[in-house]
Amino acid sequence: ETIDLGIPVVLFDRVISEINCDKVIVNDKQAAKEATQVLIDDQRENILILTSEDYVSVGNLRTEGYLEALKDNEIEPDSDLIIKVKDKKASQPEMSYLEDEIEKVIKSKKVDAILGVNEIYAGSALKVLKKNNISVPKEISIISFTDGVISRYSSPSLSTISQHGEIMGERSAELLINKLTGKTSSREFKTEIINCSLIKRESS
């Protein structure tokens, strides 16, 4: 309805392909693939991924990148090492479910690394590992997306994939302003991709 009224729209981070508008995204799939490869290069092959349900675009793409890295290294994916969480803004029931699932997996499977699609999931993993006296990163390494406060101030601090939110916001605003001022056509749309970067900290 907003678009039909002639109001320009810019989607960023979580986008819907069916909507024709300007978009700003990060290279989710490639970034997850590269992060998984970093863990594999560190001799970690039993990598648990904490992700969102497939209807969330970022979680789906990051899971695809994880699976591609395993395939490239001839590591057979294990469905038990993929925990999917409903995207409910880190609600208490969902976090309790996630922590219970992590605990089940680390007690039943050999896990030597964890990839979190956001820092809340990775922070939950860190909590469970501490509870079970598992050393990070000696026994299990952790890398997560989202370079926020949790990542920087957790103990140990979390290695993260920075999505450069400031740059994403800046480019989104520029695209919108260009539409509002007529610098770009209201009928032409572009998708800009922001490259992520890995920030190594104590957890890997």
Side-chain angles (χ1 to χ4, degrees), residues 6-184:
I7 299 171
V9 170
V10 177
L11 297 180
F12 63 93
D13 194 23
R14 300 186 180 198
V15 302
I16 301 171
S17 59
E18 291 80 10
I19 296 178
N20 291 320
C21 65
D22 289 322
K23 301 178 176 86
V24 182
I25 59 175
V26 297
N27 57 337
D28 286 298
K29 184 176 177 180
Q30 184 62 29
K33 183 176 180 179
E34 290 173 3
T36 306
Q37 188 62 53
V38 166
L39 293 169
I40 293 170
D41 290 344
D42 193 33
Q43 309 303 313
R44 316 277 179 156
E45 295 189 356
N46 301 290
I47 304 168
L48 170 64
I49 183 170
L50 311 176
T51 186
S52 53
E53 296 281 1
D54 291 340
Y55 63 82
V56 181
S57 60
V58 292
N60 192 22
L61 289 168
R62 291 167 189 176
T63 303
E64 285 182 16
Y66 158 83
L67 292 170
E68 266 195 21
L70 296 185
K71 183 179 179 181
D72 288 352
N73 289 274
E74 299 181 345
I75 299 171
E76 190 68 30
D78 183 344
S79 60
D80 290 336
L81 295 181
I82 301 174
I83 297 177
K84 295 185 179 181
V85 184
K86 290 181 181 179
D87 188 48
K88 292 188 176 180
K89 304 297 181 188
S91 67
Q92 184 59 47
E94 290 308 312
M95 290 302 96
S96 296
Y97 164 80
L98 176 59
E99 290 172 12
D100 289 345
E101 289 299 301
I102 293 169
E103 190 155 20
K104 287 178 189 174
V105 173
I106 64 172
K107 287 182 176 180
S108 63
K109 292 278 184 176
K110 180 183 178 183
V111 175
D112 52 24
I114 295 174
L115 177 65
V117 301
N118 60 52
E119 66 179 2
I120 295 173
Y121 293 175
S124 294
L126 194 57
K127 177 182 173 184
V128 174
L129 297 180
K130 283 187 174 183
K131 176 185 171 185
N132 287 273
N133 298 311
I134 295 173
S135 174
V136 177
K138 185 177 180 180
E139 296 176 78
I140 296 181
S141 287
I142 304 176
I143 296 178
S144 77
F145 276 79
T146 317
D147 183 38
V149 174
I150 293 173
S151 300
R152 293 192 291 271
Y153 294 102
S154 62
S155 180
S157 56
L158 293 169
S159 294
T160 59
I161 301 158
S162 175
Q163 298 161 255
H164 303 295
E166 294 87 353
I167 297 173
M168 185 183 291
E170 182 179 316
R171 292 301 302 127
S172 299
E174 285 177 1
L175 288 170
L176 187 60
I177 290 167
N178 287 341
K179 280 285 192 296
L180 291 169
T181 58
K183 288 184 180 179
T184 57

